[in-house]
Amino acid sequence: MSRMQKLLPAVWLAAFCALVAWPAAAQTNARVPYPQKVVTLVTHSSPGAGSDVFLRELVKYLQRYINATFIVENDEGGSGAKAVSRVASAKPDGSMFYATTPTYILTSLLSKPTNTYRDLEPLVNFFTDSEIIYVRAESPYKTLKDLIDHARTARGRWGAANPGSLERQAAEQLKLAAKVNAAVVSHEGGGDMMINVLNGTLDMGVGEMEEIRAQYEAHKVRVLATFNGERMPALPDVPTVRESGYNVVLVKFRGLAGPKGLPSAITKIWDEAAQKILADPDYKKVYGGEDLTPHFMTHDQYGPFIAKFAADTGNFLKSTGVIR
């Protein structure tokens, strides 16, 4: 065997390794330079709850497009007030952001914490999320009407997240629309609430699909209705609350906010990266399976959206006498 013949396998191996490594190298080169090596994403949710799941999936793909290490931290307490205060007090250098949902607006309006949603700067929005009503599989309630009828005769116990959550507001608005006085029991996270639904302590829970997915797929819980304006594509046989005769429509937004005064160089990086992340084929499979609907808003769009949502929510709370 000639020397050239002996060398060929090594050459082929090197060429093959280079070919295999090319996508990873290209991906690394595609990562946009970022002023911080580590970025902390803070959520008020407990582990396993909606915002926690959202962030932990998101960071897997953020690192494909932004050259930084992303970590998720759960800062529970005060219906989101503790987490908001922490981020509001951070430097506006792109090193810390908060996972936005309607909770941080509702908590601001209902409890007047030291730091409110006004002390954070909306960055970008990624998704809208569905709120659902679910019961344990052995529950006698086959429809939302069954559940409401029970609440009329025996009051009932409904589960929701913390008092400043959209889930709690959904339950309260449903009570008002159905003219019942069910007791709404608050929980710090969706995981705790689901346990109480499963053990029969609660008649039902208001939550999100990603919080109950494992139990739903194991046929341990049943979904009665969704608060969406239209039926969820993944649950075409599940009616909306409005279809069931109660005019309540609510959808949760999911995005990020940072301390006030974020530099335009940082907001631009996030505007561009968010679009790439939502278009990532691998991530599409993930968020599609979690029933999240892409609803991208740039930094310039997200601020006015949050302001309008807060104004509309405040007007509703005043009209019902919850706040003055």
Side-chain angles (χ1 to χ4, degrees):
M1 183 182 292
S2 68
R3 184 169 180 273
M4 179 62 72
Q5 288 174 315
K6 291 179 180 178
L7 285 173
L8 277 175
V11 173
W12 290 336
L13 180 60
F16 175 76
C17 289
L19 182 63
V20 170
W22 181 83
Q27 178 175 293
T28 300
N29 293 336
R31 297 171 77 194
V32 175
Y34 197 71
Q36 305 298 330
K37 291 183 179 180
V38 178
V39 180
T40 302
L41 303 181
V42 180
T43 174
H44 60 264
S45 293
S46 58
S51 288
D52 178 73
V53 174
F54 157 64
L55 287 182
R56 294 187 189 279
E57 287 295 341
L58 180 68
V59 297
K60 298 176 186 177
Y61 302 93
L62 278 173
Q63 293 174 154
R64 292 185 177 185
Y65 302 100
I66 297 178
N67 191 16
T69 298
F70 292 87
I71 59 174
V72 176
E73 293 188 0
N74 304 81
D75 205 340
E76 303 170 54
S79 299
K82 186 179 175 185
V84 167
S85 250
R86 178 182 174 188
V87 178
S89 302
K91 293 181 179 179
D93 57 5
S95 63
M96 183 175 289
F97 296 101
Y98 170 76
T100 51
T101 70
T103 293
Y104 89 123
I105 293 175
L106 285 160
T107 295
S108 299
L109 296 172
L110 292 169
S111 59
K112 303 291 191 297
T114 303
N115 294 108
T116 72
Y117 74 92
R118 295 183 181 88
D119 297 309
L120 295 183
E121 182 172 335
L123 181 64
V124 291
N125 192 70
F126 290 92
F127 300 106
T128 54
D129 198 358
S130 303
E131 298 287 359
I132 58 167
I133 297 171
Y134 68 95
V135 297
R136 61 192 176 111
E138 299 84 4
S139 168
Y141 315 118
K142 306 300 182 185
T143 66
L144 182 55
K145 183 179 182 300
D146 293 340
L147 186 74
I148 297 298
D149 287 345
H150 172 75
R152 285 203 175 95
T153 59
R155 192 179 185 193
R157 289 172 61 85
W158 297 357
N162 61 69
S165 68
L166 189 65
E167 291 83 3
R168 177 61 185 259
Q169 289 305 307
E172 295 292 349
Q173 289 194 37
L174 179 59
K175 281 176 55 178
L176 190 63
K179 299 179 181 178
V180 296
N181 191 31
V184 180
V185 183
S186 295
H187 299 73
E188 273 301 320
D192 296 337
M193 176 176 59
M194 182 177 57
I195 291 171
N196 286 332
V197 173
L198 290 173
N199 65 25
T201 302
L202 298 171
D203 297 324
M204 67 85 152
V206 179
E208 301 150 10
M209 276 304 295
E210 54 261 50
E211 294 175 340
I212 69 160
R213 185 170 303 281
Q215 287 70 29
Y216 177 76
E217 292 175 351
H219 305 291
K220 292 182 178 180
V221 298
R222 181 169 62 251
V223 180
L224 296 186
T226 171
F227 284 95
N228 284 6
E230 298 178 354
R231 294 193 181 197
M232 295 171 59
L235 300 173
D237 296 329
V238 174
T240 66
V241 170
R242 185 165 59 186
E243 282 180 311
S244 302
Y246 313 101
N247 190 26
V248 183
V249 178
L250 294 166
V251 179
K252 175 175 282 189
F253 56 83
R254 291 200 179 280
L256 295 173
K260 299 279 279 188
L262 292 170
S264 59
I266 288 175
T267 62
K268 182 180 179 182
I269 289 172
W270 281 92
D271 280 350
E272 294 175 355
Q275 294 179 76
K276 293 176 182 177
I277 292 163
L278 290 172
D280 187 302
D282 295 333
Y283 192 32
K284 278 186 174 181
K285 293 177 185 177
V286 173
Y287 67 69
E290 293 177 350
D291 303 310
L292 293 171
T293 302
H295 189 172
F296 171 64
M297 281 183 269
T298 65
H299 172 255
D300 289 342
Q301 295 168 330
Y302 201 27
F305 169 86
I306 290 296
K308 184 178 186 307
F309 184 94
D312 291 346
T313 302
N315 289 336
F316 170 77
L317 294 174
K318 287 177 183 176
S319 70
T320 55
V322 176
I323 62 174
R324 293 182 179 180

